[in-house]
Amino acid sequence: AVVSTQSTGEYACGAQLNGVSAMWWDQHEEYSQFTGDHCLFHRGYSTIAEALAKGLDIRLNQEVSHIDYSGDKVIVRTTKDEFLADKVIVTLPVAIILDVNFHPLLPDWKVHAINRMGVGIIEKVALKFPRNFWSEKIKDSQFFGHVPSTEELRGMFTIFYDLTNPDGNGPHVLVTVICGEAVSYRKETSSSAIVSNCLTLLRNMFRDVPNPTDYWVTNWSRDKYSRMAYSYVSVGTQAKDYSTLADDIEEKVFFAGEATNRRFPQTVTGAYLSGVREACKIVERGFSIPDL
């Protein structure tokens, strides 16, 4: 039970518990949270992004290198182009935000908050099977758990989510997670070896488990555009750092993302609402947004 509790905490925080603030790790619980059942997106989170992007001018493959807010306008330089804007909303993960060259430099209070915030890492393993072999045992549940047999295996495949289409016609997909100390194992191990270990576990839990027809193993810690999964309150961080990360600079540069949402950090909901929050700030301060 202790191992299971630790695994759950490390999954929630995206970090080993010895690096998490005992005082502030659950600071968001002082605010009212959403009620109701959890919702699984069977086609993935891309469905949200696709819906929100409709009708917008989205420029892809534009790696931002500089943000210059020294003048009346904000200049955003990428590896390909240069853009001029009245306001800019920065939504970069805290792990890479300081990779961008800001001019003037970001103020110390902002940099200190960024550096204090914990950079959480979890990895996910998605397995696509030719048929469903688990529903007979787990019935109508959308997920099932696994308690590691030893301390060394803590954080390896502790929960599985069923992302099969509700109509049951496939594709038949299970997604599991790697968290805590086990994240280092992901860094040192090939995707195929991880999938093999996961299949061994599933075959100890279910009968007649087929080989997957496809799989995907994330490697967020080595993704140059994220280097993290989500934030956590590390030792030395305070709850107010979430609010500090959300503070704008000179009413020109605004900040959004889950790590700027003190009420709902570590969530897609928090990230989305932070974007709405910053858009409202800009409008409320007298800036007119043209019809899109």
Side-chain angles (χ1 to χ4, degrees), residues 38-94:
H38 286 283
C39 177
L40 293 180
F41 291 87
H42 295 279
R43 288 183 52 230
Y45 284 129
S46 62
T47 54
I48 300 176
E50 290 165 0
L52 293 175
K54 287 182 178 178
L56 299 181
D57 180 10
I58 306 292
R59 308 291 178 91
L60 301 178
N61 300 311
Q62 296 279 356
E63 183 177 333
V64 175
S65 57
H66 294 75
I67 297 176
D68 185 339
Y69 61 100
S70 59
D72 293 334
K73 299 283 188 177
V74 181
I75 302 171
V76 179
R77 296 188 181 93
T78 74
T79 51
K80 294 181 179 180
D81 294 304
E82 182 175 292
F83 300 90
L84 204 61
D86 294 292
K87 314 286 183 182
V88 168
I89 301 178
V90 178
T91 61
L92 295 170
V94 292

Side-chain angles (χ1 to χ4, degrees), residues 38-171:
H38 286 283
C39 177
L40 293 180
F41 291 87
H42 295 279
R43 288 183 52 230
Y45 284 129
S46 62
T47 54
I48 300 176
E50 290 165 0
L52 293 175
K54 287 182 178 178
L56 299 181
D57 180 10
I58 306 292
R59 308 291 178 91
L60 301 178
N61 300 311
Q62 296 279 356
E63 183 177 333
V64 175
S65 57
H66 294 75
I67 297 176
D68 185 339
Y69 61 100
S70 59
D72 293 334
K73 299 283 188 177
V74 181
I75 302 171
V76 179
R77 296 188 181 93
T78 74
T79 51
K80 294 181 179 180
D81 294 304
E82 182 175 292
F83 300 90
L84 204 61
D86 294 292
K87 314 286 183 182
V88 168
I89 301 178
V90 178
T91 61
L92 295 170
V94 292
I96 65 170
I97 191 171
L98 296 180
D99 291 350
V100 173
N101 293 300
F102 287 86
H103 180 70
L105 295 174
L106 292 178
D108 288 345
W109 54 264
K110 177 71 77 173
V111 174
H112 292 332
I114 292 170
N115 287 331
R116 282 193 297 267
M117 188 61 66
V119 173
I121 297 288
I122 68 163
E123 303 294 357
K124 292 185 177 181
V125 181
L127 303 170
K128 181 180 178 182
F129 292 98
R131 56 184 170 78
N132 182 318
F133 58 83
W134 55 87
S135 289
E136 181 180 354
K137 192 170 185 178
I138 71 168
K139 305 304 180 184
D140 295 329
S141 178
Q142 291 184 310
F143 57 90
F144 58 89
H146 155 249
V147 178
S149 57
T150 66
E151 176 74 13
E152 291 72 26
L153 295 176
R154 190 181 84 240
M156 291 291 293
F157 321 131
T158 53
I159 189 167
F160 288 81
Y161 296 96
D162 181 0
L163 294 188
T164 303
N165 283 333
D167 61 16
N169 293 326

Side-chain angles (χ1 to χ4, degrees), residues 227-287:
R227 295 208 301 270
M228 64 181 296
Y230 42 72
S231 66
Y232 70 94
V233 186
S234 60
V235 175
T237 305
Q238 298 182 21
K240 66 181 182 181
D241 285 332
Y242 281 111
S243 300
T244 302
L245 288 173
D247 288 340
D248 65 85
I249 300 175
E250 298 182 9
E251 296 192 347
K252 297 177 186 176
V253 183
F254 296 77
F255 297 84
E258 58 82 22
T260 71
N261 194 323
R262 184 171 177 176
R263 289 175 177 257
F264 310 109
Q266 305 166 330
T267 65
V268 174
T269 302
Y272 168 75
L273 291 177
S274 73
V276 174
R277 178 197 66 212
E278 296 308 300
C280 289
K281 277 187 190 178
I282 293 172
V283 173
E284 288 170 356
R285 293 177 188 183
F287 179 72

Side-chain angles (χ1 to χ4, degrees), residues 10 15-20 235:
E10 290 176 337
Q16 296 182 53
L17 294 186
N18 59 10
V20 177
V235 175

